[in-house]
Amino acid sequence: MKILVTAKRVEDPESKIKVKPDGSGIVQEGLKYKINPFDEIAVEEGLRLVAKHGGEVVVVSIGGKEVQEQLRHALAMGAHRAVWVNHTGPLDQLGIAGLLQKVAEKEKPDMVVLGKQSIDDDQNQVGQYLAEFLGWSQATFASKVESLESEQEKNKAPALAVGADGKSVRVVREVDNGLATLECALPAVVTTDLRLNLPRYASLPGIMKAKSKPIEELTPQKLGVDVAPKIQVLKMSSPPPRKAGIKVADVAALVDKLRNEAKVV
Amino acid sequence: MPIVLIVAEQQPDGNLRKATLNAVTAGRTLAEKAGAELHLVLLSKDPSKVSEELKGLGVKAVHTAGAPELEHYLAEVYTPVIAGLAQELKADYVGMASTAMGKDLMPRVAARLKAAMATDVMAFNGSGAEVTFTRPMWAGNVFAEVKLTTPVKVFTVRATEFQPAAGGQAAAEVKTFAPKIEASKTKFVDFKEVKSARPELTEARVVVSGGRGTKGDFKEIEALADELGAAVGASRAVCDAGWVPNDLQVGQTGKVVAPQLYIAAGISGAIQHLAGMKSSKTIVAINKDPEAPIFQVADYGLVADLFKVLPELRESLHKLK
């Protein structure tokens, strides 16, 4: 099987994000960057699928040359090769999905596995756009029934169950009030939820090996995609701060506050 | 006149998903600002029961399509039907609540309509053709004002930011239309519901949440929730550990709640958790660690062992009745 996975470069989720005083963006100084956590899960799932069924994992990222760091990280985890779409400047979900469509048409994978959302934009759109652009089956928010502490997880078995004939995949999805299971004809687009798997660490030999793995460079021009953004961010602001709270001494004081001040019980 | 089309959602049990009512209010807010008419659409195996409820919400028209293929929601089946109706109506805006279905469906509809989309909209600004959307980024640490420049604009709304629309208004026209069902490459296999007698997490007035501090023992969390008629929530850590079902997770990657009262017990308050609950009206934190970040957003904090104070709190609340 060939699995195409994504590796978006985002601010470390533990970073404190601050808006610039003029509202034009966020303060970049002092921020660390890493692969989007949901994409890391996509890379892991790709590796597990290929470990079980054979084939290769191709990782793609879009951005300036700094995104090679995230591609190298995925290669160090075990991805076989990388595609870098070299683009600087603003890009929206339509543009990203348009570029990924061209990469998918070129690579012809059995599955594209992406994170369900990136933790900077929080849009949760690209996988769905991509599935529609390609006319493929889609299964978003892929999860599994077992907990992340299960034996199955320790054995690193893939949660996405490919059919015996290799023509379909069964996906358990996290939805409101429960879990829904779908069967998608391949090729398909799958987006990952957090509980699909626990991503592996990149080992030192993995990191060494990653240095010699190929990264193919493409551009929006080469792929023939107009990426002029259709979403304009006019202004960013900080959410209104909550007024400082107080610490209470005991349960009696808490109940008194809830009853007489907040009037919620 | 421009048209705002809101997609209604029917739950697997046949009832209207309540977040639809909040989305109707959001649609009305947008329609007023954009000088537009508000329409609703509902797809179902049998839309008659829910369309009765929808037509009293003070909208211009309710469009319904019924077919056996629409029984279980599938993005590939619903997309051409919704997008087709939007094109026929020449809708300028297509929106829905940010439920699991809304998040799955609307981007695919947007793709078909060659539209840009805003997720989790919290407010609409401006007027006429210049309406802009406010939406959260970076786990709610940034509010962004965005403008979509495609002819059709698609969005989902954060239900907790809009009041539910009230029924009992002048009956709207219900228009049934024949859905154009396309062959789907995806099959519905099954749905396993997590059943609970407690209120739905995103709709509850009070939420009691437990974190790693519970060590997986949710008995006291549940007992307090039952005393308060509250929903039970959880941090990501306890869901990942398999201690409670995934759909109880509150946070950036789980559910976003904004109840009147949110009680966090044994939850440290990581950025990803705060993103899901910091719009709650009153926040109570119970934690052994006085330095836990949850105390920075809590209106009332109690530094204590949750196993000791939760039973005490429950009894005190019981006596108030």
Side-chain angles (χ1 to χ4, degrees):
Chain A
M1 300 193 87
K2 188 196 269 192
I3 315 287
L4 184 65
V5 298
T6 50
K8 186 179 179 181
R9 178 183 174 86
V10 297
E11 291 75 18
D12 186 304
E14 301 303 321
S15 323
K16 186 109 181 94
I17 302 293
K18 280 191 292 232
V19 179
K20 286 184 191 164
D22 67 357
S24 63
I26 61 161
V27 178
Q28 304 284 333
E29 285 80 38
L31 288 179
K32 284 189 207 142
Y33 294 86
K34 59 174 291 183
I35 180 171
N36 179 42
F38 292 99
D39 286 354
E40 200 172 17
I41 291 166
V43 175
E44 175 66 37
E45 196 62 22
L47 295 173
R48 293 182 187 195
L49 283 163
V50 161
K52 181 166 178 185
H53 304 285
E56 65 168 347
V57 174
V58 182
V59 58
V60 55
S61 192
I62 305 167
K65 66 175 188 307
E66 64 279 3
V67 305
Q68 291 190 29
E69 272 177 49
Q70 279 62 49
L71 291 173
R72 291 283 176 212
H73 177 87
L75 293 171
M77 284 173 73
H80 299 78
R81 56 190 177 86
V83 174
W84 165 38
V85 183
N86 185 353
H87 173 77
T88 48
L91 197 59
D92 65 15
Q93 285 67 33
L94 271 165
I96 297 166
L99 293 170
L100 292 178
Q101 179 194 356
K102 295 294 174 188
V103 173
E105 284 168 358
K106 196 166 161 294
E107 291 286 341
K108 299 184 174 56
D110 297 283
M111 239 185 276
V112 185
V113 188
L114 315 84
K116 75 165 180 180
Q117 74 192 71
S118 62
I119 59 158
D120 48 2
D121 282 330
D122 282 334
Q123 282 271 51
N124 195 335
Q125 296 176 5
V126 170
Q128 296 89 312
Y129 269 99
L130 178 62
E132 174 65 21
F133 285 170
L134 290 166
W136 288 5
S137 183
Q138 93 182 31
T140 55
F141 326 144
S143 188
K144 64 178 169 193
V145 180
E146 299 80 15
S147 90
L148 288 181
E149 297 191 338
S150 66
E151 276 308 305
Q152 195 211 16
E153 180 61 27
K154 282 171 194 145
N155 294 332
K156 297 208 170 290
L160 302 177
V162 175
D165 60 0
K167 289 188 173 141
S168 68
V169 62
R170 225 167 230 250
V171 186
V172 176
R173 305 178 55 231
E174 234 175 280
V175 298
D176 299 330
N177 304 47
L179 296 170
T181 303
L182 299 182
E183 193 167 293
C184 302
L186 294 178
V189 173
V190 175
T191 76
T192 63
D193 220 315
L194 275 173
R195 276 168 293 274
L196 188 66
N197 61 47
L198 280 177
R200 69 195 66 189
Y201 292 105
S203 65
L204 189 60
I207 293 166
M208 298 310 290
K209 244 198 236 168
K211 291 185 176 156
S212 58
K213 288 180 179 173
I215 296 182
E216 181 188 1
E217 183 182 342
L218 296 169
T219 61
Q221 293 73 30
K222 262 188 231 172
L223 291 167
V225 180
D226 172 15
V227 293
K230 309 289 192 296
I231 302 177
Q232 296 172 1
V233 178
L234 303 177
K235 194 168 170 272
M236 291 188 191
S237 58
S238 300
R242 290 186 73 91
K243 71 168 176 57
I246 55 159
K247 285 200 176 119
V248 294
D250 51 27
V251 167
L254 175 61
V255 172
D256 175 64
K257 290 287 182 192
L258 290 177
R259 184 155 185 93
N260 299 315
E261 198 174 86
K263 301 188 194 320
V264 285
V265 294
Chain B
M1 199 178 207
I3 285 180
V4 175
L5 179 65
I6 296 290
V7 182
E9 178 177 354
Q10 195 173 15
Q11 298 180 155
D13 66 8
N15 290 313
L16 182 70
R17 191 173 293 285
K18 292 224 175 67
T20 296
L21 299 174
N22 308 75
V24 168
T25 300
R28 180 169 302 130
T29 310
L30 170 60
E32 279 163 11
K33 288 189 184 289
E37 264 175 14
L38 179 58
H39 292 231
L40 302 182
V41 56
L42 174 73
L43 309 187
S44 170
K45 184 182 169 195
D46 173 17
S48 57
K49 181 179 155 202
V50 171
S51 63
E52 274 305 301
E53 193 175 344
L54 294 175
K55 75 180 187 191
L57 296 176
V59 301
K60 180 76 182 171
V62 178
H63 305 268
T64 67
E69 295 91 335
L70 299 172
E71 179 175 7
H72 301 292
Y73 159 73
L74 283 174
E76 284 154 86
V77 178
Y78 274 44
T79 294
V81 182
I82 302 279
L85 176 71
Q87 281 166 329
E88 211 176 293
L89 292 173
K90 299 193 170 59
D92 304 83
Y93 300 90
V94 184
M96 192 174 169
S98 278
T99 57
M101 173 178 156
K103 288 178 181 173
D104 184 60
L105 173 64
M106 295 319 277
R108 192 150 185 152
V109 169
R112 185 159 284 220
L113 295 171
K114 304 276 179 280
M117 176 176 164
T119 298
D120 260 345
V121 171
M122 306 163 73
F124 302 96
N125 325 290
S127 64
E130 296 299 306
V131 169
T132 61
F133 303 67
T134 302
R135 60 173 305 271
M137 295 172 79
W138 284 282
N141 288 300
V142 175
F143 288 177
E145 187 181 339
V146 301
K147 188 177 172 187
L148 307 182
T149 62
T150 45
V152 183
K153 298 155 179 65
V154 176
F155 60 94
T156 58
V157 299
R158 182 169 280 195
T160 53
E161 299 294 326
F162 299 91
Q163 292 297 316
Q169 304 183 53
E173 191 182 352
V174 176
K175 300 179 175 183
T176 55
F177 68 104
K180 287 191 201 85
I181 306 289
E182 290 182 12
S184 170
K185 293 172 182 162
T186 309
K187 276 192 297 207
F188 172 86
V189 178
D190 68 19
F191 171 63
K192 283 199 184 64
E193 191 182 2
V194 177
K195 280 205 195 302
S196 172
R198 301 190 183 94
E200 224 274 303
L201 190 51
T202 54
E203 290 159 7
R205 204 186 69 86
V206 181
V207 174
V208 184
S209 272
R212 207 180 268 286
T214 63
K215 299 181 179 70
D217 179 358
F218 260 55
K219 276 202 284 298
E220 285 303 331
I221 301 283
E222 287 169 1
L224 179 61
D226 290 341
E227 179 61 42
L228 286 163
V232 169
S235 69
R236 189 187 153 194
V238 307
C239 295
D240 280 356
W243 292 341
V244 299
N246 294 343
D247 67 322
L248 295 189
Q249 189 198 326
V250 172
Q252 182 186 17
T253 52
K255 291 187 174 148
V256 175
V257 301
Q260 292 293 306
L261 174 61
Y262 188 89
I263 301 178
I267 294 178
S268 67
I271 288 174
Q272 106 83 30
H273 186 76
L274 299 183
M277 47 63 81
K278 68 182 175 190
S279 303
S280 304
K281 190 153 174 289
T282 300
I283 298 173
V284 171
I286 297 169
N287 205 299
K288 275 200 288 200
D289 175 10
E291 303 302 321
I294 191 80
F295 286 119
Q296 289 163 23
V297 301
D299 299 281
Y300 307 115
L302 182 54
V303 180
D305 179 357
L306 68 97
F307 290 105
K308 192 174 152 285
V309 297
L310 287 186
E312 212 182 306
L313 178 58
R314 174 162 47 88
E315 273 167 43
S316 304
L317 291 169
H318 189 73
K319 279 183 203 147
L320 286 180
K321 284 186 179 168

